[in-house]
């Protein structure tokens, strides 16, 4: 049963935003600055047992970012949309691809998602039954919102900070571009523990 129920949800990652706190000596002062607003929308999808996490789907603004030049394989699936939002065409493409994978594996799953315009009714799916949350209960029942997304973002910030410190130590450029953000977000997603996933599903009432 745990392997048959999956949940998908989107969130935003401000991939260039740095830490908003720092350490200073007692007699020193620290001044703030504007935080970077560059953002990716990422879609997470996993089953209740955390044994089947789909690769992250990232949505950026540029179709072919400059940092992708010469790169043959990306760490995550990448799509573009000028407003950085999930749109129905991208979501349908994702679901039809997942449906083919499940059909090849002779598996049937239930995918629970938000009821929003970016998640249209998709006909002709053979191995996926899509169920939408009722209106006005998403904050209570949305499984990945119960701690998985928070864990992903916390992991991302930790990994990004380590990379920046490492770059400074080596005298290298510490700028985080989209390609770097894709690598970090993939690692951050992989670091979300099985217990975190199970607890979030349980907290939302799925047992």
């Amino acid at each position: 049963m745990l392997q048959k129920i999956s949940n998908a949800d989107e969130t935003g990652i401000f991939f260039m935003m740095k830490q908003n706190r720092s350490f200073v000596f007692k007699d020193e002062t620290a001044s703030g600055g504007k935080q970077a607003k560059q953002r990716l929308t990422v879609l997470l999808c996993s089953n209740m047992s955390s044994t089947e996490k789909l690769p992250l789907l990232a949505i950026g603004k540029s179709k072919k970012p400059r940092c992708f030049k010469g790169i043959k394989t990306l760490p995550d699936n990448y799509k573009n949309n000028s407003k950085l939002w999930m749109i129905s065409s991208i979501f349908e493409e994702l679901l039809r691809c997942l449906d083919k994978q499940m059909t090849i594996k002779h598996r049937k799953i239930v995918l629970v998602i938000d009821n929003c315009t970016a998640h249209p009714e998709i006909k002709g799916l053979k191995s996926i039954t899509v169920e939408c949350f009722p209106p006005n209960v998403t904050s209570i029942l949305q499984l990945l919102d119960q701690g998985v997304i928070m864990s992903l973002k916390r992991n991302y910030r930790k990994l990004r900070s380590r990379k920046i410190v490492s770059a400074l130590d080596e005298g290298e450029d510490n700028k985080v571009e989209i390609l770097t953000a894709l690598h970090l977000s993939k690692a951050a997603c992989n670091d979300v523990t099985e217990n975190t996933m199970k607890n979030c599903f349980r907290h939302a009432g799925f047992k």
Side-chain angles (χ1 to χ4, degrees), residues 77-113:
N77 295 323
Y78 179 83
K79 301 292 181 181
N80 75 293
N81 174 27
S82 60
K83 294 186 177 180
L84 294 170
W85 296 340
M86 172 61 74
I87 55 177
S88 57
S89 59
I90 294 177
F91 188 76
E92 180 173 354
E93 180 183 349
L94 174 72
L95 247 63
R96 292 200 181 280
C97 180
L98 177 60
D99 187 60
K100 288 181 180 179
Q101 294 176 18
M102 294 297 105
T103 301
I104 292 173
K105 295 178 181 179
H106 303 288
R107 291 189 53 209
K108 302 282 187 180
I109 66 170
V110 175
L111 180 65
V112 187
I113 57 174

Side-chain angles (χ1 to χ4, degrees), residues 164-183:
I164 291 175
V165 170
S166 177
L168 290 172
D169 288 342
E170 298 295 329
E172 300 174 351
D173 184 6
N174 63 8
K175 183 179 179 181
V176 177
E177 296 184 328
I178 291 180
L179 181 60
T180 304
L182 294 181
H183 282 287

Side-chain angles (χ1 to χ4, degrees), residues 104-162:
I104 292 173
K105 295 178 181 179
H106 303 288
R107 291 189 53 209
K108 302 282 187 180
I109 66 170
V110 175
L111 180 65
V112 187
I113 57 174
D114 290 343
N115 186 4
C116 71
T117 55
H119 301 159
E121 180 182 356
I122 301 173
K123 298 181 180 180
L125 298 177
K126 298 179 180 179
S127 300
I128 300 177
T129 300
V130 178
E131 297 290 346
C132 293
F133 292 115
N136 304 319
V137 298
T138 300
S139 61
I140 301 173
L141 298 180
Q142 175 55 271
L143 312 174
L144 298 180
D145 272 349
Q146 306 302 319
V148 174
I149 289 176
M150 182 176 66
S151 178
L152 167 74
K153 291 185 176 182
R154 183 170 57 242
N155 293 342
Y156 178 88
R157 289 193 297 269
K158 178 176 65 176
L159 293 170
R160 184 204 53 213
S161 295
R162 287 178 179 174

Side-chain angles (χ1 to χ4, degrees), residues 44 50 53 148 151-152 155 187-194 196-197:
L44 300 81
S50 190
K53 292 181 185 176
V148 174
S151 178
L152 167 74
N155 293 342
C189 183
N190 290 338
D191 286 346
V192 176
T193 66
E194 181 178 335
T196 297
M197 192 72 68

